[in-house]
Amino acid sequence: MKQIITALLVLISASLFAQNNGVSEENDAKMQWFKDAKLGIFIHWGLYAVNGIDESWSFFNGYISHEDYLKQTKGFTAKNYNPEAWAELIKKSGAKYSVITSKHHDGFALWKTKHSDFNAVESSAAKKDVLSPFVDALRKNDLKVGIYYSLPDWSYDDYTHFTRETQRYNIADEPRRWKKFLKYYQGQLKELAKKYNPDLYWFDGDWEHSSEEWEAPKVREMLLDKNPSTILNSRLKGEGDYETPEQGMPITRPKSNYWELCMTMNNSWGYQHNDHNYKTINQIIGIFADVIGNGGNLLLDIGPKADGIIPEKQVDILDGLGRWTNKHKEAIYGTVAGIPKEHFYGPTTLSKDKKILYLFVKGDPNGEVVLRGLKNKINRIWVVGEGTKLSHKVVGKVYWNEYPGITYIPLPEKVLDENITVLALLLDGEVDLYREDGAVIESN
Ligand code: GLC
């Protein structure tokens, strides 16, 4: 009897394991393009670009009345909008996907939604659908399509929240009214799914209600039903596929296998003519290297003007990124997170087979690059995107212990990249690191 029970338990747990494995393998397969993409471009485009004020928050927080906020519809002209040029610029930057605000918390839709007339066609000077041509242009350029969609809609009459001070109603008091809102927002999502079949949905604003109130599991099911390989970000009350740290570059390596840092180039998501506080190209590339070195993606934001022009400074940053990503593509795309920081004081990535280690060297290391505790033999070192072969020397290796010593790689000034130089180290096998406290004598 005991044996039968044990056998049964083994069978059950084996099948559970297989199931879990199946699910996660399936998920890994669906996440592969995302994992390999490394760079995406976020676009915040909406009414707020007209005055150059905080996207949606400006009226929610009471810096401008809702009525005055809406007057921006008159200035949202999109008259110089060139979706093909946007997509080409994104492609050139080295990004593999883009995520655009189809509708922010203010409820203004960039496409002609049949669920409300508060959209670019019916309620703005543009009088045209500005989302569809961009989606087409992305696909034409072989870029994945990500749609940002705000769950809250602060302009919608049957949504609970209006401003920080005023709430229209409580769900408990008016459940029917909430049902009406659910129908509206889920209807819009169905519409987006049908029209664009996005590769990725980027939800936002889930903090205003519970998973149950949003009907989050149902929404996930509905979207995956339509396209089983679509990806959802985490902001759907835990129904997502990947984490979305915002602005703050993770300091320690995130535990989640799939994550994406979304970050502005200056301090604003949308276009703000007053905001000149741009990060430098060196800082952006540095952050990007840190992100991919820790196995994540960077979703870097741009905020086009109301007429559709992308501010010059943002174009320059994308161009600068493009130069660098193109030169260093072998160290970026299709690589995985690198080695622990103790071994190299900078970002690193590894080829998928873990036999090539890429070192990202920030600035001028004054002669030599230092790598600690590498057990492998290095077969060859070259400067990525430039080709020069480099020599190296191992110092402090002792014959009586497996302690592998410290590797010094002389780096001539003339091979330095203007932003970050990348070295490729071809190892004699999978990367193997010495992770002990120190060398203790074993024999002499
Ligand atoms: C925050 C803000 C929103 C912005 C988003 C981008 O959630 O509410 O305005 O669009 O971050 O990640």
Side-chain angles (χ1 to χ4, degrees):
M1 186 65 186
K2 219 173 167 187
Q3 271 167 334
I4 295 176
I5 291 176
T6 318
L8 265 176
L9 281 176
V10 168
L11 263 178
I12 291 170
S13 63
S15 85
L16 273 180
F17 178 77
Q19 262 179 30
N20 283 337
N21 234 15
V23 168
S24 94
E25 265 170 30
E26 225 171 71
N27 210 45
D28 284 348
K30 137 178 152 169
M31 295 302 287
Q32 201 54 56
W33 74 258
F34 181 80
K35 189 79 185 155
D36 290 339
K38 311 295 179 189
L39 183 65
I41 300 300
F42 211 177
I43 304 177
H44 276 69
W45 197 32
L47 300 180
Y48 37 84
V50 175
N51 291 5
I53 53 181
D54 283 346
E55 65 292 338
S56 313
W57 291 100
S58 47
F59 79 83
F60 188 84
N61 286 330
Y63 300 122
I64 183 174
S65 69
H66 186 240
E67 197 189 338
D68 284 341
Y69 185 90
L70 293 187
K71 286 186 187 145
Q72 295 178 107
T73 48
K74 295 198 184 74
F76 191 80
T77 63
K79 71 168 187 279
N80 295 313
Y81 174 44
N82 184 344
E84 281 79 28
W86 282 20
E88 279 160 24
L89 178 69
I90 291 168
K91 176 100 180 174
K92 234 177 89 198
S93 76
K96 303 293 180 198
Y97 64 109
S98 183
V99 179
I100 182 164
T101 49
S102 67
K103 188 188 89 168
H104 204 260
H105 314 325
D106 61 12
F108 178 71
L110 295 188
W111 81 103
K112 188 170 188 291
T113 170
K114 63 171 194 246
H115 298 278
S116 139
D117 58 10
F118 190 36
N119 62 62
V121 185
E122 290 160 294
S123 294
S124 85
K127 291 196 170 57
K128 58 183 175 197
D129 169 351
V130 290
L131 184 56
S132 304
F134 180 60
V135 171
D136 290 345
L138 287 179
R139 294 239 156 88
K140 212 173 103 198
N141 280 280
D142 251 341
L143 294 162
K144 297 279 185 191
V145 175
I147 298 281
Y148 168 109
Y149 182 84
S150 166
L151 297 165
D153 188 327
W154 297 330
S155 298
Y156 192 74
D157 273 344
D158 291 304
Y159 184 65
T160 48
H161 298 57
F162 178 43
T163 67
R164 201 170 282 284
E165 307 285 303
T166 16
Q167 194 163 332
R168 295 187 180 93
Y169 67 98
N170 280 317
I171 299 179
D173 301 337
E174 298 188 53
R176 281 208 178 162
R177 203 165 165 193
W178 181 249
K179 278 263 174 284
K180 204 171 154 206
F181 173 74
L182 288 179
K183 212 170 147 209
Y184 159 69
Y185 106 74
Q186 290 169 12
Q188 281 199 325
L189 281 174
K190 254 184 232 156
E191 200 175 46
L192 287 169
K194 189 155 173 245
K195 252 179 133 73
Y196 305 118
N197 192 20
D199 301 293
L200 185 156
Y201 291 87
W202 214 100
F203 290 103
D204 198 16
D206 64 352
W207 61 81
E208 276 183 354
H209 289 286
S210 65
S211 165
E212 216 183 335
E213 285 166 349
W214 291 122
E215 299 187 336
K218 177 179 154 193
V219 167
R220 179 180 173 89
E221 212 182 291
M222 169 181 106
L223 298 177
L224 287 174
D225 234 27
K226 175 83 179 85
N227 174 3
S229 52
T230 197
I231 293 175
L232 313 189
N233 78 339
S234 59
R235 299 185 185 182
L236 184 63
K237 288 289 175 192
E239 296 299 325
D241 299 305
Y242 72 90
E243 298 300 321
T244 56
E246 176 166 334
Q247 299 288 25
M249 225 294 294
I251 304 298
T252 53
R253 188 173 290 184
K255 289 189 186 60
S256 160
N257 195 16
Y258 304 112
W259 62 276
E260 170 200 67
L261 169 70
C262 57
M263 189 180 80
T264 52
M265 289 182 176
N266 49 7
N267 295 334
S268 318
W269 295 106
Y271 173 65
Q272 298 205 16
H273 47 84
N274 263 341
D275 185 350
H276 304 294
N277 197 20
Y278 280 92
K279 296 167 187 75
T280 64
I281 183 71
N282 258 332
Q283 290 164 347
I284 289 177
I285 291 176
I287 293 168
F288 177 52
D290 282 340
V291 165
I292 62 173
N294 281 316
N297 287 2
L298 176 66
L299 184 64
L300 183 66
D301 184 67
I302 57 171
K305 298 180 185 179
D307 65 356
I309 295 285
I310 299 174
E312 213 182 303
K313 186 77 196 164
Q314 303 185 1
V315 173
D316 287 349
I317 290 177
L318 292 183
D319 281 344
L321 249 175
R323 182 203 67 81
W324 189 84
T325 51
N326 186 42
K327 177 174 168 189
H328 300 106
K329 48 185 172 295
E330 66 158 290
I332 302 172
Y333 308 106
T335 60
V336 296
I339 58 177
K341 283 182 238 182
E342 301 83 43
H343 299 274
F344 177 70
Y345 296 165
T348 56
T349 58
L350 281 161
S351 57
K352 277 192 185 144
D353 64 6
K354 308 219 159 137
K355 290 181 182 163
I356 304 179
L357 172 62
Y358 296 100
L359 309 180
F360 293 69
V361 183
K362 294 184 181 179
D364 183 350
N366 272 334
E368 50 193 8
V369 168
V370 187
L371 179 65
R372 299 162 196 83
L374 177 73
K375 287 191 190 169
N376 304 82
K377 190 172 150 279
I378 301 174
N379 285 339
R380 188 188 180 101
I381 304 178
W382 67 96
V383 182
V384 174
E386 196 267 356
T388 301
K389 256 190 293 167
L390 301 176
S391 61
H392 70 284
K393 193 175 167 192
V394 178
V395 167
K397 169 151 182 54
V398 283
Y399 69 87
W400 40 259
N401 186 281
E402 56 157 7
Y403 177 75
I406 303 171
T407 309
Y408 290 90
I409 308 165
L411 189 59
E413 211 175 308
K414 67 173 196 325
V415 305
L416 292 182
D417 182 79
E418 65 187 84
N419 300 119
I420 289 186
T421 312
V422 185
L423 306 185
L425 278 59
L426 177 66
L427 310 175
D428 62 349
E430 262 191 38
V431 67
D432 190 10
L433 301 166
Y434 180 80
R435 302 287 295 157
E436 311 298 319
D437 287 346
V440 172
I441 195 160
E442 281 161 4
S443 82
N444 209 333

